[in-house]
Amino acid sequence: MYALRRIALFVPVWVGVAVLTFAMMRLIGGDPAQALYGGSALSVAVLREVHHRLGLDRPVLTQLAGFLVDAVRGNLGESWQSGTPVAAILAQRFPYTIELALAGLGLGTLLGLGLGVIAATRQGSSLDRALLVGSLVFLSVPGFWLGILLIYLFSVDLGWLPVAGAAGWQSLVMPAAVLAATGAPVVARVARAGMLEVLRTEYVRTARAKGLGERIVLLRHALRNALNPIMTIVGLLFGNLLGGALIVEQVFSRPGIGTLAVQAIFARDYPMIQGIVLYTSTVFLILNLLVDLAYSLVDPRIRFG
Amino acid sequence: MREPARARDGRVALALAVAIVTALAGPHLTAAAVGPSAGGTFVLPVQQDPKTLDAPRMTLADEDEISGYIGAALTAIAPDGRIVPWLADRWTWAPNGKTLTFHIKPGVTFHSGRPMTAQDVKATFERDIDPATASPYDRDFLASVASIDAPDASTLVLHLRAPDGGLLETLASPGYLQPTDPSALSKWGAQYAQHPSSVGPFMLKEWLPGQSVTLARNPAYRWGPPFDHPGPPYLDQLVFRVIPQPTSQMAAFESGALSGLLNVPPEHWDEFAKNPKYHFFQTVGPRVYYVEMNLHNPMFQDLRVRQAVNYAMDRGAIVASAFNGHGVPNWAPFSPLLAGYWKGTENAYRYDPQRARQLLAEAGFSYQGGTLQKAGRPVTLRLITRSYEPFTDLAQLVQAQLQQVGIATTITAYEVSTSLARLRAGDYDVSVSSYAWDADPGLVLRLVLEPSGSLDYSGYNNPGFNDLVHLYQTTVSPTVRGQLMQRIQAEFVKDVPWAMLAAEMNGRVVQGGFDGVMLNHATGELLVENAYVHK
């Protein structure tokens, strides 16, 4: 029931996202017919013809209504640049972005958890402080800058990893690391705080008093109970990383939707941009729902009625 | 129009320029240690992800770059600027200049193996200009063509509405105007855009959207223009990789993942030029930068004010600062790369702020504490430009130099298509503008400086100038065209609707592991089809 209600809530969110995207594209200005041709010289007659072909000579509300009706039917239209259906392009390109975001999220979560737990068990030590400072540094470093730095180190100087593209796991290493570098500190801080709290509880003391090994105490008793807030933050992080992936993709020339989106925005390819935003927000909504549902798996006390 | 005259990047995309004069005349060929042999893969970056390779429908400069290797053209532009045979081995003009007859080379075949006939070229051109094709550029290129005949397989006749002196040069476009294989067109239908087939030195092998386009040698290709080596290319493959970020392109080149870079940022020229591991090429490019004055503003209707703006510009300082020295000061309305460029324009307005102030005073302006006033009111102009380099640098330099003669400005930078919309609406006083053009200067002049031209944002309308441009376009004789183009430039310099600033130079670099790559000094293009692996 809970899941159904959550899914029903998608509808107004979707409509809101669709209308907002539609409006934003028209507010940023610039003539799409002109932008579509890279800002090149077109005769006035050709411009007028392009306007007509793209339906830009119709009233804005008519355009909006047409877009919404089509979107509800699952028809995202055709890219103005290539004439190919937007849905087909997204199906082709989105997996690259998801792959990167998931790899970044996985790596970032593992790193963050590990570092957070270590920092919590050695609270106040110099290692704890070093981890705190380190996480602040990586949280502040812009992804594209870190990306270029990694490229020069691992591709140009050492020649270990490919500089661009999406061929094999090697090309995923650096972009995922860049994403993880911004995600891990967030997870580490929440994990550290959660663990510190749990480690002070009675049942941890009891577990230790029973003579259980420190590892079992930490992993089975403490971490399990500290997982809830971590899961929340990981779920939220996914949205951030999806956004971050768009920029990282540019630096590492991955064929995901980031590269697609940037080019579509410059070309004012409205159907493409609207499709990308709708698609991304849908994925985001679904993942958030899955995270919520996962709470009950981790913590049996939580039941959604 | 061909290079999307105001394309976002400075990439030289098009194969259609005649330039008899180039500022730099370097060696045309890289010395070869050992003779060339077949093999190797040459990898180039493209900034934009190609969307279609259906020639007449292409919109991106990068699409034309790739497509130019898949296709070929009736004519070609040789490194010395002459128009030479390519798919046509000869042509004749009718005495009235209204009929142009081509004789097609024998033995040309499409990538499918099907022989190419004059009828195929006719069908291609008819499709290019068919409104249903909705080609953004081809209809402008072929605007003078009224009808086409192909009386036999090797004869192509173009009947023109009026003589078109630039047509042979315009036709030299292996990208936009390449012959289309009718069998591939009927086989693929709407999907032809992803499966182009023409008669060029390379054929499409694999296209991974967002990643790369791989071309393979066309083993049958024996009909290259005379400046290419005879026979098929040595390279097995020519690969275009989509790498959107210039910094990532640089890193990819330095790591060896790319064989060449077509657009080296000016700040990296020296390190590449000095490094013996690389072949470095530099040439004046097709892009010019200028100060566009809104002639609807009464202030700029006064010739003396326009002259004053011209005298206020320190072009040497602009080139040194905005282009790291990799540009040339320019006074003609187009790049020195183009055919017909007249050196007589050079230094027409040498930097002279004193003279500028004097002219402004003559035009009725006065100074109050160094600031320009007209009828007791201070003059402040809206200076618009685009929000990226070198425009933002240029705008600040222009602002400082105008301030030197008392003209205050406020700068607003817009993203490219927004800035074009502002220009078109006349919502500005001065603009730091730019266009790139590497073909017949007559066409671009008509577009940017005639009232009917789609790029005429300044509102310039000088009947004498328009007549000269029209006469130039409808003249076939190269000698007369040369004289007319000189008069056009003299008129431009006299009337100065714009203050020209500089032409950009292009730096290109190729890994030392490849030889044979040559620079076509007439077009500024790197002729990669001649590359071979250094043994």
Side-chain angles (χ1 to χ4, degrees):
Chain A
M1 263 331 277
Y2 172 76
L4 280 181
R5 248 191 299 141
R6 283 291 305 266
I7 292 169
L9 265 178
F10 281 11
V11 177
V13 178
W14 266 327
V15 174
V17 167
V19 173
L20 254 171
T21 319
F22 182 91
M24 271 191 308
M25 282 324 297
R26 276 137 185 102
L27 285 174
I28 56 175
D31 179 356
Q34 182 75 73
L36 205 53
Y37 296 107
S40 55
L42 288 175
S43 59
V44 178
V46 171
L47 271 182
R48 204 173 301 132
E49 179 194 291
V50 174
H51 277 186
H52 182 70
R53 182 157 50 85
L54 303 180
L56 290 165
D57 51 356
R58 293 180 301 161
V60 174
L61 285 180
T62 317
Q63 293 179 43
L64 176 63
F67 162 60
L68 288 177
V69 168
D70 280 350
V72 167
R73 289 185 184 142
N75 176 11
L76 294 172
E78 284 166 1
S79 158
W80 286 348
Q81 276 189 297
S82 63
T84 319
V86 167
I89 301 174
L90 286 174
Q92 194 178 43
R93 309 289 284 273
F94 208 70
Y96 290 105
T97 304
I98 289 287
E99 179 186 62
L100 173 57
L102 286 179
L105 188 71
L107 195 61
T109 307
L110 278 181
L111 261 173
L113 264 183
L115 294 175
V117 170
I118 291 171
T121 53
R122 292 173 178 69
Q123 191 193 1
S125 70
S126 48
L127 182 69
D128 183 21
R129 257 172 275 150
L131 288 173
L132 199 74
V133 172
S135 70
L136 206 69
V137 168
F138 277 105
L139 198 60
S140 325
V141 164
F144 61 89
W145 184 78
L146 186 62
I148 291 290
L149 222 62
L150 291 182
I151 287 178
Y152 270 95
L153 179 61
F154 291 105
S155 304
V156 179
D157 288 345
L158 298 171
W160 290 352
L161 293 167
V163 71
W169 62 269
Q170 294 95 333
S171 58
L172 194 59
V173 174
M174 284 193 289
V178 170
L179 279 187
T182 55
V186 181
V187 177
R189 289 166 73 170
V190 175
R192 178 179 176 275
M195 283 297 282
L196 284 177
E197 198 178 306
V198 174
L199 285 175
R200 278 194 289 269
T201 57
E202 305 268 309
Y203 59 83
V204 168
R205 198 188 313 157
T206 310
R208 283 194 178 128
K210 280 197 299 186
L212 289 178
E214 188 63 16
R215 177 176 301 188
I216 293 180
V217 172
L218 278 181
L219 296 184
R220 200 173 295 165
H221 294 253
L223 185 60
R224 179 94 196 254
N225 282 296
L227 268 184
N228 239 337
I230 299 176
M231 279 189 43
T232 311
I233 202 75
V234 168
L236 290 174
L237 203 56
F238 185 77
N240 280 346
L241 293 191
L242 209 55
L246 304 194
I247 293 165
V248 172
E249 273 175 5
Q250 286 276 305
V251 177
F252 292 97
S253 320
R254 287 179 62 83
I257 57 163
T259 318
L260 198 64
V262 171
Q263 204 169 317
I265 289 168
F266 274 115
R268 302 285 191 278
D269 188 344
Y270 290 173
M272 194 71 239
I273 301 162
Q274 287 160 353
I276 291 169
V277 177
L278 270 184
Y279 210 84
T280 314
S281 38
T282 307
V283 169
F284 187 57
L285 286 172
I286 291 173
L287 274 157
N288 264 348
L289 174 68
L290 291 179
V291 169
D292 281 359
L293 296 178
Y295 286 150
S296 58
L297 294 180
V298 175
D299 188 343
R301 285 169 304 180
I302 299 176
R303 283 280 177 268
F304 300 106
Chain B
M1 123 180 10
R2 199 154 321 148
E3 151 110 84
R6 293 185 184 227
R8 273 198 321 118
D9 62 355
R11 191 177 299 277
V12 177
L14 310 165
L16 323 192
V18 164
I20 289 153
V21 185
T22 47
L24 290 167
H28 288 160
L29 279 164
T30 310
V34 181
S37 58
T41 295
F42 199 93
V43 189
L44 283 171
V46 285
Q47 196 171 12
Q48 297 193 291
D49 182 12
K51 302 294 180 197
T52 174
L53 290 176
D54 182 1
R57 293 197 165 114
M58 298 187 298
T59 60
L60 304 173
D62 283 329
E63 289 168 346
D64 180 57
E65 171 77 29
I66 299 169
S67 183
Y69 291 100
I70 296 173
L74 292 172
T75 55
I77 295 159
D80 61 6
R82 281 180 310 119
I83 294 169
V84 295
W86 191 352
L87 294 176
D89 56 10
R90 57 180 190 273
W91 51 83
T92 45
W93 282 101
N96 67 1
K98 289 178 76 172
T99 307
L100 180 57
T101 306
F102 288 96
H103 183 265
I104 305 288
K105 262 184 204 168
V108 177
T109 54
F110 285 110
H111 294 155
S112 63
R114 178 195 159 108
M116 186 200 82
T117 63
Q119 283 89 359
D120 296 329
V121 181
K122 168 178 149 76
T124 296
F125 286 173
E126 284 172 349
R127 176 172 177 263
D128 291 347
I129 55 180
D130 183 350
T133 308
S135 171
Y137 308 125
D138 285 3
R139 280 173 290 178
D140 274 342
F141 296 162
L142 300 174
S144 62
V145 177
S147 66
I148 306 164
D149 277 336
D152 61 62
S154 60
T155 308
L156 181 78
V157 186
L158 304 183
H159 301 285
L160 310 182
R161 293 175 220 282
D164 183 353
L167 187 58
L168 282 172
E169 185 181 344
T170 305
L171 288 173
S173 171
Y176 293 111
L177 294 175
Q178 63 184 241
T180 302
D181 185 345
S183 56
L185 204 56
S186 58
K187 178 178 168 195
W188 291 105
Q191 280 166 357
Y192 178 80
Q194 282 79 45
H195 302 90
S197 171
S198 186
V199 295
F202 290 91
M203 35 199 203
L204 182 66
K205 184 179 171 196
E206 186 186 33
W207 182 352
L208 301 172
Q211 300 188 58
S212 62
V213 177
T214 300
L215 310 183
R217 177 201 303 122
N218 174 6
Y221 184 75
R222 290 179 207 290
W223 45 84
F227 54 88
D228 277 349
H229 78 83
Y234 302 119
L235 296 169
D236 290 336
Q237 295 192 103
L238 180 56
V239 178
F240 293 90
R241 286 187 70 177
V242 180
I243 304 183
Q245 293 298 312
T247 31
S248 306
Q249 288 192 4
M250 291 273 303
F253 179 77
E254 287 176 78
S255 77
L258 294 176
S259 314
L261 279 183
L262 297 182
N263 227 347
V264 180
E267 60 272 25
H268 294 286
W269 281 34
D270 291 344
E271 77 187 67
F272 282 137
K274 284 188 190 127
N275 193 330
K277 270 164 60 187
Y278 307 130
H279 302 297
F280 187 76
F281 305 86
Q282 59 179 20
T283 173
V284 173
R287 181 167 290 280
V288 287
Y289 295 86
Y290 52 95
V291 177
E292 195 159 3
M293 293 172 260
N294 188 346
L295 300 175
H296 298 296
N297 180 335
M299 175 174 170
F300 291 119
Q301 285 164 9
D302 190 325
L303 174 64
R304 291 168 296 193
V305 176
R306 302 201 296 272
Q307 289 174 328
V309 171
N310 267 279
Y311 279 119
M313 294 295 117
D314 184 353
R315 293 166 179 83
I318 285 173
V319 166
S321 172
F323 300 107
N324 274 39
H326 304 308
V328 287
N330 188 40
W331 288 267
F334 47 79
S335 162
L337 175 73
L338 266 57
Y341 171 77
W342 179 45
K343 279 180 116 47
T345 57
E346 288 174 15
N347 290 313
Y349 294 87
R350 206 185 278 277
Y351 177 53
D352 189 347
Q354 194 51 47
R355 178 105 182 85
R357 274 190 288 262
Q358 196 185 326
L359 281 162
L360 287 169
E362 285 169 22
F365 290 87
S366 59
Y367 285 93
Q368 187 78 42
T371 312
L372 206 61
Q373 301 211 327
K374 178 98 179 191
R377 299 182 57 181
V379 176
T380 303
L381 300 178
R382 291 167 300 164
L383 169 59
I384 71 166
T385 193
R386 304 185 199 171
S387 54
Y388 53 93
E389 296 302 334
F391 289 94
T392 40
D393 274 355
L394 284 170
Q396 290 177 52
L397 289 161
V398 167
Q399 180 180 48
Q401 291 173 5
L402 287 176
Q403 189 66 56
Q404 291 270 311
V405 300
I407 302 175
T409 52
T410 54
I411 300 179
T412 320
Y414 298 99
E415 185 255 345
V416 60
S417 57
T418 312
S419 89
L420 289 178
R422 290 255 149 181
L423 285 171
R424 183 166 284 137
D427 194 3
Y428 74 104
D429 296 311
V430 281
S431 160
V432 173
S433 295
S434 169
Y435 76 83
W437 185 259
D438 62 357
D440 175 25
L443 187 50
V444 78
L445 290 178
R446 203 197 75 206
L447 288 162
V448 296
L449 286 165
E450 277 196 9
S452 59
S454 50
L455 282 171
D456 177 37
Y457 303 129
S458 51
Y460 186 56
N461 186 10
N462 171 351
F465 183 85
N466 299 346
D467 288 348
L468 278 172
V469 173
H470 182 74
L471 195 59
Y472 171 83
Q473 284 202 289
T474 52
T475 300
V476 175
S477 153
T479 323
V480 181
R481 278 165 69 81
Q483 292 161 353
L484 283 169
M485 193 38 80
Q486 186 170 323
R487 282 176 61 196
I488 288 170
Q489 288 164 86
E491 180 64 22
F492 178 86
V493 166
K494 199 180 100 206
D495 212 26
V496 280
W498 300 341
M500 300 305 294
L501 299 175
E504 191 174 61
M505 292 184 72
N506 294 139
R508 308 174 196 287
V509 65
V510 171
Q511 302 279 4
F514 289 96
D515 280 332
V517 177
M518 74 188 220
L519 187 67
N520 185 334
H521 281 281
T523 60
E525 282 186 314
L526 217 49
L527 299 175
V528 175
E529 61 266 31
N530 291 327
Y532 58 91
V533 178
H534 179 92
K535 291 272 161 58

